[in-house]
Amino acid sequence: MATTIHPPIQGKELTDPPSDGITNLRFSNHSDHLLVSSWDKSVRLYDAGENVLRGVFNHGSAILDCCFHDDSSGFTAGLDHTVRRDDFSSGKEDILGRHDAPVRCVEYSYSAGQLITGSWDRTIKCWDPRGGSGKDQMLIGTYSQPERVYSLSVSGNRLVVATAGRHINVYDLRNMSKPEQQRESSLKYQTRCVRCYPNGTGYAVGSIEGRVAMEFFDLSEAGQSKKYAFKCHRKSEDGKDIVYPVNAIAFHPIYGTFATGGCDGFVNVWDGNNKKRLYQYSKYPTSIAALSFNKDGRLLAVASSYTFEGGDKPHEPDTIFVRNIHEAEVKPKPKVHPTPQ
């Protein structure tokens, strides 16, 4: 009797995952290459479609974030205060420069041709990676922030900076002299991640208290009337609400719907315009540390990696899953208008 083989529910597991907590993963804008940073001091380049590890750079301390420059090179943010570029095709590593404390996040703006780094030293720095090598020759500017930087997101020429103390600064990368907007998160608890909408009209914020806020740049009354927040990644047990941090938000590049990943091990897909959950995938082995859709939204990379929210305890190994996305999971459902009587 023929056996029907079902694809694994959570997606395809990538071979050779990091050996310690995954801090981020990102798909390339040009291919199915996937860049992964980790507490094990490595940054890895995979071909996610082929399930092949293309290369590894090992650094002297934990890598807290990574992003692509082009299809075979990327930037990393380090616990050792250092910003690096790793070129997997040549095997060459460049140090762009340093902060005065661990560098928490890196974002590359293709429209501005700049790298933006955010650090626990309460600054962001902008770098021109085309500049000459050598100490800080690529540094364009340093900009003070109200607190330690926790998350960055770029859309076109807009930069959103989320810091400790629930501060959010919005910049225009063409004029960094001062923030365009200085805001406070509408969520009451610490910000874990911020991500700009693909259409550039606003951003989503996730907090440690199992909530996401949908915010808009337009400061008019009509613009601000669209904003809202909702609960996610929580469950009821014995009449109590158990709340999990929202670690990751990833927008679908075609439909503008978005996935959230929490410490509950779940990935949910949301239709922000219609304020509905479209899909919940079956539970992953441990916390969702990071999420990324590929360039056409056919694939979703999921980092199942314990984020130590419950302290140092035995946990499932760190795993990267790549799942094929069906249109029904991410496409907004049309609004049904009542038939006039």
Side-chain angles (χ1 to χ4, degrees), residues 21-35:
I22 297 164
T23 53
N24 205 3
L25 47 73
R26 311 255 193 143
F27 269 113
S28 165
N29 284 4
H30 311 292
S31 70
D32 291 341
H33 283 183
L34 185 72
L35 202 59

Side-chain angles (χ1 to χ4, degrees), residues 217-228:
F217 295 129
D218 177 359
L219 292 175
S220 72
E221 200 173 325
Q224 290 303 296
S225 70
K226 294 183 197 165
K227 72 179 190 178
Y228 66 96

Side-chain angles (χ1 to χ4, degrees), residues 23-24 37-39 61-66 76-79 102-105 120:
T23 53
N24 205 3
S37 55
S38 166
W39 280 95
S61 66
I63 310 294
L64 301 183
D65 198 6
C66 62
T76 63
L79 197 63
V103 188
R104 177 63 190 87
C105 24
W120 292 338

Side-chain angles (χ1 to χ4, degrees), residues 22-299:
I22 297 164
T23 53
N24 205 3
L25 47 73
R26 311 255 193 143
F27 269 113
S28 165
N29 284 4
H30 311 292
S31 70
D32 291 341
H33 283 183
L34 185 72
L35 202 59
V36 180
S37 55
S38 166
W39 280 95
D40 74 359
K41 308 177 184 178
S42 77
V43 57
R44 292 160 187 256
L45 179 69
Y46 295 89
D47 183 327
E50 299 290 325
N51 197 356
V52 175
L53 179 63
R54 294 277 181 216
V56 182
F57 277 89
N58 290 300
H59 296 305
S61 66
I63 310 294
L64 301 183
D65 198 6
C66 62
C67 67
F68 274 98
H69 185 205
D70 56 35
D71 214 31
S72 59
S73 68
F75 301 106
T76 63
L79 197 63
D80 61 358
H81 310 185
T82 305
V83 181
R84 292 181 171 86
R85 175 172 45 199
D86 295 324
D87 187 329
F88 289 88
S89 54
S90 68
K92 191 161 166 271
E93 169 201 324
D94 288 323
I95 292 178
L96 273 71
R98 295 171 61 83
H99 278 265
D100 294 331
V103 188
R104 177 63 190 87
C105 24
V106 288
E107 284 284 327
Y108 185 68
S109 165
Y110 288 91
S111 52
Q114 288 180 27
L115 179 73
I116 302 100
T117 56
S119 167
W120 292 338
D121 68 5
R122 303 184 179 207
T123 70
I124 55 170
K125 293 191 178 196
C126 293
W127 314 81
D128 181 351
R130 299 160 300 192
S133 58
K135 183 165 168 51
D136 289 350
Q137 281 189 14
M138 304 180 202
L139 184 64
I140 298 166
T142 302
Y143 310 96
S144 293
Q145 299 303 303
E147 250 290 2
R148 288 153 293 157
V149 178
Y150 283 166
S151 189
L152 297 175
S153 188
V154 168
S155 174
N157 285 304
R158 218 167 219 142
L159 166 69
V160 179
V161 183
T163 75
R166 299 169 42 248
H167 300 283
I168 292 176
N169 280 344
V170 181
Y171 287 90
D172 183 335
L173 285 168
R174 295 163 299 190
N175 176 16
M176 290 290 295
S177 55
K178 65 174 198 284
E180 269 189 328
Q181 297 176 18
Q182 292 174 290
R183 297 187 176 193
E184 188 177 82
S185 168
S186 54
L187 304 177
K188 291 180 192 162
Y189 294 87
Q190 179 188 309
T191 303
R192 193 45 80 83
C193 54
V194 65
R195 281 289 166 264
C196 291
Y197 306 159
N199 66 7
T201 59
Y203 58 91
V205 184
S207 82
I208 59 167
E209 193 246 347
R211 283 178 199 260
V212 170
M214 308 301 286
E215 300 281 354
F216 293 85
F217 295 129
D218 177 359
L219 292 175
S220 72
E221 200 173 325
Q224 290 303 296
S225 70
K226 294 183 197 165
K227 72 179 190 178
Y228 66 96
F230 63 95
K231 295 176 183 177
C232 51
H233 301 286
R234 41 179 72 207
K235 67 178 179 186
S236 274
E237 219 169 73
D238 305 326
K240 274 197 193 145
D241 229 7
I242 301 171
V243 176
Y244 298 90
V246 180
N247 294 324
I249 298 171
F251 280 90
H252 191 272
I254 311 299
Y255 294 120
T257 50
F258 60 97
T260 59
C263 287
D264 56 355
F266 281 104
V267 175
N268 295 318
V269 181
W270 308 89
D271 174 355
N273 291 335
N274 294 321
K275 302 184 183 176
K276 281 190 169 56
R277 185 167 74 181
L278 292 173
Y279 216 84
Q280 182 177 73
Y281 298 116
S282 56
K283 196 169 189 287
Y284 283 88
T286 184
S287 316
I288 306 303
L291 295 169
S292 182
F293 283 105
N294 76 332
K295 65 183 191 308
D296 57 11
R298 286 179 304 103
L299 301 175

